[in-house]
Each structure stands twice: as C-alpha cells, then as structure tokens.
Amino acid sequence: MEISVGFTDKEEEYYTGNGYICDESALGRVYYPAKGIEICGQPAVRYMEYPWISTFETDGMIALQTEKRGKV
C-alpha cells in the first residue's frame, strides 16, 4: 500500500485536531495519521525526477494493511 503526498494550505492545528502527527522534513512539514502507519525512521518527503515522471515520495513510514470486509 502506498502513502499519498499532497500540498495543503491548512494550518497545523487543523491536522493535529483531526488525529495527525506533524514532523519536519527537508521539503517542509509532514503530516501523517496517528493510526494506520508504522514509523520506521524519520518521516520525510523527497522530490524525485525519473525519465517518465516527476513525483514526491515518502521515507520513514509504511502504510499498514487494513482488514478487508466483505466476502472472502
């Protein structure tokens, strides 16, 4: 499972009030949910350029698989 990255114009209080944790990275603040991820280092966002795409990627966190509901 991947972790999405985006930009925001909301204040830190908005995210901390909605169950997110805030850390600093080289590109700015990183907000991530307090539940549903495993921290395996310093959370950070980095900008990557590949021949086919430019993208932001995350380091230091892994999205945990959620239990799927419904038919087996």
Side-chain angles (χ1 to χ4, degrees):
M1 178 179 280
E2 294 185 18
I3 297 175
S4 65
V5 177
F7 294 95
T8 183
D9 59 355
K10 293 183 171 57
E11 298 295 326
E12 182 175 341
E13 292 77 23
Y14 172 83
Y15 290 99
T16 56
N18 284 295
Y20 285 79
I21 297 171
C22 177
D23 276 321
E24 293 290 327
S25 83
L27 294 178
R29 292 186 177 132
V30 178
Y31 298 96
Y32 54 90
K35 297 179 182 178
I37 65 167
E38 179 181 334
I39 302 299
C40 54
Q42 178 64 35
V45 176
R46 56 189 163 79
Y47 181 73
M48 298 296 296
E49 287 191 25
Y50 298 102
W52 59 92
I53 193 169
S54 297
T55 184
F56 289 95
E57 296 180 356
T58 58
D59 290 323
M61 57 186 112
I62 300 169
L64 300 176
Q65 293 288 339
T66 58
E67 183 177 314
K68 293 186 179 184
R69 297 181 182 159
K71 296 182 180 181
V72 177

PDB file of all heavy atoms in Angstrom, residues 6-15 29 31:
ATOM      1  N   GLY A   6       0.641  15.253  -0.768  1.00  0.00           N
ATOM      2  CA  GLY A   6      -0.040  16.395  -1.356  1.00  0.00           C
ATOM      3  C   GLY A   6       0.367  17.680  -0.666  1.00  0.00           C
ATOM      4  O   GLY A   6       1.115  17.672   0.302  1.00  0.00           O
ATOM      5  N   PHE A   7      -0.135  18.773  -1.173  1.00  0.00           N
ATOM      6  CA  PHE A   7       0.130  20.084  -0.595  1.00  0.00           C
ATOM      7  C   PHE A   7      -1.131  20.570   0.088  1.00  0.00           C
ATOM      8  O   PHE A   7      -2.236  20.199  -0.287  1.00  0.00           O
ATOM      9  CB  PHE A   7       0.553  21.074  -1.684  1.00  0.00           C
ATOM     10  CG  PHE A   7       1.864  20.740  -2.300  1.00  0.00           C
ATOM     11  CD1 PHE A   7       1.925  20.008  -3.465  1.00  0.00           C
ATOM     12  CD2 PHE A   7       3.037  21.155  -1.704  1.00  0.00           C
ATOM     13  CE1 PHE A   7       3.143  19.693  -4.031  1.00  0.00           C
ATOM     14  CE2 PHE A   7       4.255  20.848  -2.264  1.00  0.00           C
ATOM     15  CZ  PHE A   7       4.309  20.116  -3.433  1.00  0.00           C
ATOM     16  N   THR A   8      -0.973  21.423   1.073  1.00  0.00           N
ATOM     17  CA  THR A   8      -2.125  21.949   1.789  1.00  0.00           C
ATOM     18  C   THR A   8      -1.905  23.405   2.161  1.00  0.00           C
ATOM     19  O   THR A   8      -0.779  23.862   2.275  1.00  0.00           O
ATOM     20  CB  THR A   8      -2.406  21.128   3.062  1.00  0.00           C
ATOM     21  OG1 THR A   8      -3.578  21.648   3.677  1.00  0.00           O
ATOM     22  CG2 THR A   8      -1.253  21.191   4.047  1.00  0.00           C
ATOM     23  N   ASP A   9      -3.013  24.094   2.343  1.00  0.00           N
ATOM     24  CA  ASP A   9      -2.934  25.464   2.833  1.00  0.00           C
ATOM     25  C   ASP A   9      -3.564  25.568   4.217  1.00  0.00           C
ATOM     26  O   ASP A   9      -3.752  26.648   4.744  1.00  0.00           O
ATOM     27  CB  ASP A   9      -3.607  26.434   1.859  1.00  0.00           C
ATOM     28  CG  ASP A   9      -5.075  26.114   1.636  1.00  0.00           C
ATOM     29  OD1 ASP A   9      -5.554  25.095   2.152  1.00  0.00           O
ATOM     30  OD2 ASP A   9      -5.744  26.887   0.931  1.00  0.00           O
ATOM     31  N   LYS A  10      -3.869  24.413   4.818  1.00  0.00           N
ATOM     32  CA  LYS A  10      -4.457  24.406   6.151  1.00  0.00           C
ATOM     33  C   LYS A  10      -3.374  24.551   7.215  1.00  0.00           C
ATOM     34  O   LYS A  10      -2.219  24.212   6.997  1.00  0.00           O
ATOM     35  CB  LYS A  10      -5.235  23.118   6.362  1.00  0.00           C
ATOM     36  CG  LYS A  10      -6.475  23.031   5.474  1.00  0.00           C
ATOM     37  CD  LYS A  10      -7.257  21.779   5.764  1.00  0.00           C
ATOM     38  CE  LYS A  10      -8.585  21.753   5.065  1.00  0.00           C
ATOM     39  NZ  LYS A  10      -8.573  21.881   3.653  1.00  0.00           N
ATOM     40  N   GLU A  11      -3.765  25.054   8.364  1.00  0.00           N
ATOM     41  CA  GLU A  11      -2.838  25.251   9.476  1.00  0.00           C
ATOM     42  C   GLU A  11      -2.591  23.935  10.216  1.00  0.00           C
ATOM     43  O   GLU A  11      -3.397  23.007  10.148  1.00  0.00           O
ATOM     44  CB  GLU A  11      -3.410  26.289  10.448  1.00  0.00           C
ATOM     45  CG  GLU A  11      -3.604  27.663   9.841  1.00  0.00           C
ATOM     46  CD  GLU A  11      -2.296  28.316   9.436  1.00  0.00           C
ATOM     47  OE1 GLU A  11      -1.279  28.107  10.117  1.00  0.00           O
ATOM     48  OE2 GLU A  11      -2.292  29.043   8.432  1.00  0.00           O
ATOM     49  N   GLU A  12      -1.480  23.892  10.944  1.00  0.00           N
ATOM     50  CA  GLU A  12      -1.107  22.695  11.685  1.00  0.00           C
ATOM     51  C   GLU A  12      -2.211  22.256  12.651  1.00  0.00           C
ATOM     52  O   GLU A  12      -2.462  21.061  12.819  1.00  0.00           O
ATOM     53  CB  GLU A  12       0.192  22.938  12.455  1.00  0.00           C
ATOM     54  CG  GLU A  12       0.691  21.736  13.207  1.00  0.00           C
ATOM     55  CD  GLU A  12       2.033  21.956  13.852  1.00  0.00           C
ATOM     56  OE1 GLU A  12       2.763  22.882  13.467  1.00  0.00           O
ATOM     57  OE2 GLU A  12       2.365  21.175  14.758  1.00  0.00           O
ATOM     58  N   GLU A  13      -2.895  23.204  13.275  1.00  0.00           N
ATOM     59  CA  GLU A  13      -3.947  22.887  14.240  1.00  0.00           C
ATOM     60  C   GLU A  13      -5.076  22.065  13.609  1.00  0.00           C
ATOM     61  O   GLU A  13      -5.695  21.240  14.269  1.00  0.00           O
ATOM     62  CB  GLU A  13      -4.525  24.165  14.860  1.00  0.00           C
ATOM     63  CG  GLU A  13      -3.555  24.911  15.749  1.00  0.00           C
ATOM     64  CD  GLU A  13      -2.498  25.718  14.967  1.00  0.00           C
ATOM     65  OE1 GLU A  13      -2.730  26.063  13.788  1.00  0.00           O
ATOM     66  OE2 GLU A  13      -1.436  25.971  15.542  1.00  0.00           O
ATOM     67  N   TYR A  14      -5.332  22.292  12.331  1.00  0.00           N
ATOM     68  CA  TYR A  14      -6.358  21.521  11.634  1.00  0.00           C
ATOM     69  C   TYR A  14      -6.003  20.039  11.646  1.00  0.00           C
ATOM     70  O   TYR A  14      -6.844  19.187  11.921  1.00  0.00           O
ATOM     71  CB  TYR A  14      -6.523  22.026  10.199  1.00  0.00           C
ATOM     72  CG  TYR A  14      -7.417  21.149   9.362  1.00  0.00           C
ATOM     73  CD1 TYR A  14      -8.795  21.286   9.409  1.00  0.00           C
ATOM     74  CD2 TYR A  14      -6.874  20.170   8.539  1.00  0.00           C
ATOM     75  CE1 TYR A  14      -9.620  20.471   8.654  1.00  0.00           C
ATOM     76  CE2 TYR A  14      -7.698  19.347   7.780  1.00  0.00           C
ATOM     77  CZ  TYR A  14      -9.059  19.496   7.838  1.00  0.00           C
ATOM     78  OH  TYR A  14      -9.869  18.685   7.100  1.00  0.00           O
ATOM     79  N   TYR A  15      -4.764  19.727  11.325  1.00  0.00           N
ATOM     80  CA  TYR A  15      -4.342  18.329  11.241  1.00  0.00           C
ATOM     81  C   TYR A  15      -4.171  17.683  12.609  1.00  0.00           C
ATOM     82  O   TYR A  15      -4.600  16.552  12.818  1.00  0.00           O
ATOM     83  CB  TYR A  15      -3.059  18.215  10.413  1.00  0.00           C
ATOM     84  CG  TYR A  15      -3.342  18.492   8.964  1.00  0.00           C
ATOM     85  CD1 TYR A  15      -3.088  19.732   8.410  1.00  0.00           C
ATOM     86  CD2 TYR A  15      -3.917  17.520   8.162  1.00  0.00           C
ATOM     87  CE1 TYR A  15      -3.393  20.005   7.094  1.00  0.00           C
ATOM     88  CE2 TYR A  15      -4.234  17.777   6.847  1.00  0.00           C
ATOM     89  CZ  TYR A  15      -3.966  19.019   6.313  1.00  0.00           C
ATOM     90  OH  TYR A  15      -4.287  19.280   5.016  1.00  0.00           O
ATOM     91  N   ARG A  29       6.825  20.601   6.346  1.00  0.00           N
ATOM     92  CA  ARG A  29       6.148  19.754   7.326  1.00  0.00           C
ATOM     93  C   ARG A  29       5.552  18.517   6.680  1.00  0.00           C
ATOM     94  O   ARG A  29       5.063  18.565   5.554  1.00  0.00           O
ATOM     95  CB  ARG A  29       5.050  20.542   8.024  1.00  0.00           C
ATOM     96  CG  ARG A  29       5.590  21.624   8.894  1.00  0.00           C
ATOM     97  CD  ARG A  29       4.483  22.284   9.672  1.00  0.00           C
ATOM     98  NE  ARG A  29       5.061  23.292  10.552  1.00  0.00           N
ATOM     99  CZ  ARG A  29       4.613  24.512  10.651  1.00  0.00           C
ATOM    100  NH1 ARG A  29       3.578  24.899   9.955  1.00  0.00           N
ATOM    101  NH2 ARG A  29       5.198  25.360  11.464  1.00  0.00           N
ATOM    102  N   TYR A  31       2.659  15.690   7.578  1.00  0.00           N
ATOM    103  CA  TYR A  31       1.541  15.304   8.430  1.00  0.00           C
ATOM    104  C   TYR A  31       1.165  13.874   8.085  1.00  0.00           C
ATOM    105  O   TYR A  31       1.015  13.542   6.910  1.00  0.00           O
ATOM    106  CB  TYR A  31       0.335  16.207   8.192  1.00  0.00           C
ATOM    107  CG  TYR A  31       0.594  17.658   8.509  1.00  0.00           C
ATOM    108  CD1 TYR A  31       0.945  18.553   7.519  1.00  0.00           C
ATOM    109  CD2 TYR A  31       0.484  18.121   9.813  1.00  0.00           C
ATOM    110  CE1 TYR A  31       1.188  19.887   7.809  1.00  0.00           C
ATOM    111  CE2 TYR A  31       0.720  19.454  10.117  1.00  0.00           C
ATOM    112  CZ  TYR A  31       1.065  20.322   9.108  1.00  0.00           C
ATOM    113  OH  TYR A  31       1.307  21.644   9.398  1.00  0.00           O
TER     114      TYR A  31
END
